[in-house]
Amino acid sequence: MLIVKKFGGTSVENNERIFHVAKRCVEEYNKGNDVVVVLSAMGKYTDELIDMAKDINENPSERELDMLCAIGEQMSVALMAMAFHKLGVPAVSLNAFQVKMHTNSDHGNAWLTRIETDRIRKELAQKNIVIVTGFQGVDENNDYTTLGRGGSDTTAVALAAALQADACEIYTDVDGVYTADPRKDPTARKLDEISYDDMLKMALNGAQVLHSRCVEMAKKYNIPLVVRSSMNEEEGTVVKGHGTMV
Ligand code: ADP
Ligand code: ASP
Ligand code: MG
């Protein structure tokens, strides 16, 4: 099986969490699966980068902001590769330029237009776990772009589509998709399953748990998503199927 596993910022915010994620991925790898890992920047690092930019210039150029923000994901993938190596597992990190993830030039809110798969396939064939930067792309000028806040989810689904992956798993800091934000509403209930359309409505209404473009893309390519916690073994929520329940 080829599995794409995406881990958000909280899931890789420190060394302990990085090793925890690495060990979970190694379990899949040791079962004989091809594993592609998509990462966000560590913790709130993207916010910190944006603050740094605004300390220099309160109205930074979108191009330069993307150039800066691309650092965040590059840092997490390189550190994750080092963690795999420490565990004795072959792994390689790749950024959007190395993959190549083509986007339009809408800096700060770019659309992925095409993902090349040759390099990833070559690394998988050499038995590497492949760790790819989320959130970033490259435009036709070879400039970095970013996909909008929370865009690493979209990278994961786009990669799953391009690689025709058998599974796409989004690991986050809650146990799945709830009826409302579980951090704000104590009565929120975890859903076992939700359709693309219902999930899209939630995402467009601001439920941060999945980037709305990721849900649109999953629907378009009919890719079932599993949203689950990186911190425990709970089953999570499956996002699939058409129609609406609400
Ligand atoms: P990640 O860094 O893993 O991408 P995000 O912060 O982007 O994580 O998304 C997870 C957060 O989404 C949760 O911590 C939760 O507070 C928030 N959230 C908002 N609405 C929902 C919902 N309906 N179900 C689950 N989580 C939600
Ligand atoms: N690091 C980016 C952000 O903070 C992308 C992501 O987390 O999905 O928005
Ligand atoms: Mg997110």
Side-chain angles (χ1 to χ4, degrees):
M1 291 228 299
L2 194 164
I3 307 172
V4 175
K5 293 161 114 46
K6 180 260 170 179
F7 296 87
T10 321
S11 304
V12 293
E13 72 183 351
N14 55 41
N15 292 358
E16 191 190 335
R17 293 246 163 107
I18 287 177
F19 274 107
H20 179 75
V21 164
K23 284 177 187 152
R24 271 190 98 144
C25 295
V26 170
E27 282 170 25
E28 299 284 6
Y29 175 85
N30 284 341
K31 289 181 202 158
N33 295 308
D34 287 334
V35 179
V36 176
V37 182
V38 176
L39 297 184
S40 295
M42 293 169 73
K44 300 256 171 268
Y45 197 62
T46 305
D47 292 327
E48 286 173 35
L49 290 171
I50 294 171
D51 286 346
M52 284 167 75
K54 293 194 169 164
D55 277 347
I56 294 273
N57 181 334
E58 62 287 354
N59 192 16
S61 131
E62 296 283 350
R63 180 194 180 276
E64 301 308 334
L65 206 49
D66 281 353
M67 186 75 175
L68 183 68
C69 285
I71 297 172
E73 274 65 17
Q74 194 154 320
M75 177 170 140
S76 50
V77 295
L79 291 172
M80 184 63 76
M82 293 173 199
F84 282 118
H85 298 164
K86 181 82 180 168
L87 297 173
V89 177
V92 64
S93 65
L94 297 174
N95 66 15
F97 201 86
Q98 292 165 314
V99 167
K100 230 176 174 183
M101 308 241 203
H102 300 272
T103 70
N104 66 10
S105 298
D106 190 2
H107 285 287
N109 199 28
W111 280 89
L112 279 164
T113 50
R114 189 167 60 91
I115 295 182
E116 295 182 31
T117 54
D118 293 3
R119 177 73 190 271
I120 295 179
R121 293 232 180 257
K122 185 176 141 232
E123 299 295 349
L124 290 173
Q126 290 173 357
K127 292 289 157 226
N128 279 306
I129 292 182
V130 182
I131 313 150
V132 180
T133 49
F135 183 51
Q136 56 179 248
V138 181
D139 75 2
E140 60 184 5
N141 303 316
N142 282 336
D143 283 343
Y144 277 113
T145 56
T146 61
L147 310 182
R149 299 305 306 272
S152 298
D153 298 332
T154 303
T155 308
V157 174
L159 265 176
L163 292 164
Q164 296 179 301
D166 299 291
C168 183
E169 302 166 350
I170 309 286
Y171 289 83
T172 185
D173 56 6
V174 286
D175 289 351
V177 179
Y178 284 68
T179 48
D181 187 341
R183 297 192 195 282
K184 294 189 185 142
D185 182 349
T187 67
R189 209 166 31 82
K190 193 185 101 187
L191 301 165
D192 292 334
E193 194 175 314
I194 184 169
S195 70
Y196 296 121
D197 290 325
D198 286 342
M199 187 64 238
L200 190 56
K201 263 189 239 164
M202 284 178 97
L204 291 170
N205 282 330
Q208 198 185 332
V209 63
L210 286 180
H211 194 228
S212 61
R213 282 184 185 167
C214 122
V215 185
E216 284 170 18
M217 198 172 300
K219 180 181 174 188
K220 181 171 169 193
Y221 293 101
N222 207 16
I223 295 172
L225 305 180
V226 178
V227 180
R228 58 190 301 190
S229 171
S230 65
M231 334 269 168
N232 63 43
E233 301 289 329
E234 295 291 319
E235 289 282 326
T237 303
V238 179
V239 184
K240 69 171 190 188
H242 298 276
T244 166
M245 306 275 284
V246 287

